Amino acid sequence: MQQIYQAQNIVDAHLVKGLLEQAGVTAFVSGYYLHGGIGELPASGMNAIWVHDEHISLAEQVIADFQQEHSD
């Protein structure tokens, strides 16, 4: 299993996880429970998306497509 994406926040993490799962890739969000320990200030860089090794190339393509569609 490898980290495939570093999310900006928990919403971003679950959005990407949903996109991956629609493409047939099982994805996991790490760092979800770390938000409870940070207090009232928002924090970033805690959430990452992990996928199994056999799905890395498909996951990278799904994420690249998503980022290209939403780039400014």
Side-chain angles (χ1 to χ4, degrees):
M1 186 172 285
Q2 293 185 25
Q3 180 179 327
I4 196 73
Y5 182 75
Q6 181 67 48
Q8 294 295 320
N9 53 53
I10 194 67
V11 175
D12 181 34
H14 282 284
L15 176 67
V16 172
K17 179 181 186 260
L19 291 171
L20 291 170
E21 289 178 343
Q22 285 179 353
V25 176
T26 302
F28 303 92
V29 176
S30 67
Y32 183 80
Y33 294 105
L34 293 175
H35 289 274
I38 60 172
E40 296 180 17
L41 298 175
S44 63
M46 287 192 217
N47 301 108
I49 305 294
W50 294 75
V51 298
H52 292 286
D53 293 340
E54 61 269 15
H55 296 281
I56 289 174
S57 60
L58 177 57
E60 287 174 339
Q61 185 60 48
V62 169
I63 292 169
D65 291 346
F66 169 72
Q67 290 175 328
Q68 183 175 3
E69 290 175 10
H70 294 90
S71 65
D72 293 332

